[in-house]
Amino acid sequence: MARILAIANQKGGVGKTTTAVNLAASLAVAERRVLLIDADPQGNATSGVGIDKSVAGMSLYDVLLDGVPIAEAVRQDEQLPFLHIVPATQDLVGAELELVGGEEREGRLRKALEPVRGEYDYILIDCPPSLGLVTLNVLAAADGVLIPIQCEYYALEGISQLLNTIRLVQQNFNPGFQIEGVLLTMFDSRLNLSKQVVAEAKDYFGAKVFRTVIPRNVRLAEAPSFEKPILLYDVQSVGAKSYLSVAQELIKRVESSGRGKSGGAK
Ligand code: ATP
Ligand code: MG
């Protein structure tokens, strides 16, 4: 049974998509069956793994608004056999409005994922930088959320809003929902500020914070323009190694507690 994880923070540009793409690829090379779902109309996770958005085919929009079975929207990654993707296109912008009047408007993704949950070990969902109905669908469908926090000024600004939304989701749609982990991103060891953010996040979230911190790394910033996860672009880079290490931490957390794939951590 897949562990379903939302990657969310309504703050823009904190590393959600970078984390979704590279954690998905890192889990896939560890031979975990991964479904990466792009829930952001910007479609950066879609292009980040090399899927051409202009090529016709089903996307998350068709699943949420037209009831298309999610299996029909799934694409196979060309280079990583354990990685599947559900792409997002620009029309997902309209989904926010179109969902408002719909029935079961927060529960659609949850329902859509039921038939494929058994086919994956991890389902990772990249959220847009908002707390609208699409994000709510994702949070209602997930077992937990992984929150990337950028090591910069006002890093924790807006976190209380996210925590309120998480509580709302727990109370109304998804009682078992939890914070799976907090990942510090774009760490710069030369800056005291970066260290300060790490300390603050640890104070606030305790053991939820991943031990691996993602450094600011130019290779991570370059990889999207080559439409590749970092480990297919430069596996020796510190960025690639960091995400491989986060994947190992996640595998340990999920699989040793019996919540995910059986057989324990590798
Ligand atoms: P949005 O809120 O717009 O969806 P996001 O939270 O998904 O943004 P990303 O797109 O992952 O954030 O990252 C924002 C920018 O920072 C991108 O250009 C990305 O390539 C770059 N970036 C992300 N992580 C790193 C890193 N560790 N080192 C250097 N650049 C990074
Ligand atoms: Mg993004």
Side-chain angles (χ1 to χ4, degrees):
M1 220 30 148
R3 181 91 182 144
I4 304 175
L5 298 176
I7 298 171
N9 185 339
Q10 79 279 15
K11 206 165 178 172
V14 297
K16 293 181 287 295
T17 303
T18 304
T19 298
V21 164
N22 293 300
L23 189 54
S26 300
L27 289 166
V29 298
E31 301 197 337
R32 291 336 192 253
R33 297 166 302 166
V34 182
L35 179 62
L36 170 63
I37 300 177
D38 191 348
D40 184 349
Q42 295 177 101
N44 293 338
T46 303
S47 56
V49 291
I51 289 178
D52 186 350
K53 285 176 273 185
S54 63
V55 175
M58 299 293 179
S59 70
L60 188 62
Y61 177 89
D62 303 289
V63 174
L64 291 180
L65 273 304
D66 294 333
V68 167
I70 200 158
E72 288 180 29
V74 169
R75 320 272 178 102
Q76 164 71 57
D77 188 80
E78 283 180 11
Q79 297 180 72
L80 299 170
F82 283 78
L83 179 59
H84 288 178
I85 300 112
V86 173
T89 47
Q90 197 60 41
D91 53 9
L92 201 55
V93 173
E96 286 292 344
L97 285 174
E98 291 167 53
L99 278 169
V100 171
E103 274 177 45
E104 285 225 31
R105 54 185 201 176
E106 297 93 356
R108 299 216 179 166
L109 184 59
R110 187 187 186 92
K111 207 164 163 206
L113 286 175
E114 274 166 22
V116 296
R117 194 163 184 182
E119 291 170 34
Y120 297 99
D121 299 311
Y122 294 90
I123 298 178
L124 302 185
I125 311 171
D126 184 28
C127 288
S130 72
L131 294 172
L133 267 175
V134 171
T135 299
L136 221 48
N137 255 271
V138 175
L139 300 181
D143 300 310
V145 59
L146 211 155
I147 307 171
I149 291 179
Q150 184 182 348
C151 299
E152 45 126 39
Y153 285 107
Y154 311 120
L156 294 182
E157 190 191 51
I159 284 292
S160 60
Q161 208 185 336
L162 179 59
L163 296 181
N164 283 339
T165 303
I166 290 171
R167 258 191 300 273
L168 184 142
V169 167
Q170 285 165 334
Q171 285 161 5
N172 294 285
F173 320 112
N174 190 355
F177 187 70
Q178 53 179 266
I179 297 176
E180 182 74 52
V182 170
L183 181 64
L184 293 157
T185 66
M186 298 183 236
F187 179 83
D188 185 337
S189 58
R190 296 165 303 180
L191 301 178
N192 278 331
L193 173 68
S194 264
K195 291 170 199 154
Q196 224 170 294
V197 173
V198 173
E200 269 175 43
K202 283 185 176 158
D203 267 357
Y204 205 84
F205 292 105
K208 299 268 184 205
V209 179
F210 284 97
R211 265 181 288 126
T212 310
V213 170
I214 307 295
R216 190 171 276 286
N217 175 236
V218 65
R219 305 303 256 173
L220 272 172
E222 287 166 0
S225 58
F226 294 89
E227 306 202 324
K228 283 180 180 175
I230 184 77
L231 55 84
L232 295 178
Y233 174 60
D234 184 355
V235 71
Q236 295 293 347
S237 64
V238 59
K241 287 178 182 158
S242 304
Y243 274 107
L244 284 164
S245 160
V246 176
Q248 288 307 317
E249 274 194 61
L250 181 66
I251 285 171
K252 275 204 193 100
R253 282 187 192 191
V254 170
E255 296 176 20
S256 62
S257 64
R259 287 175 292 155
K261 187 180 182 178
S262 57
K266 274 192 180 172

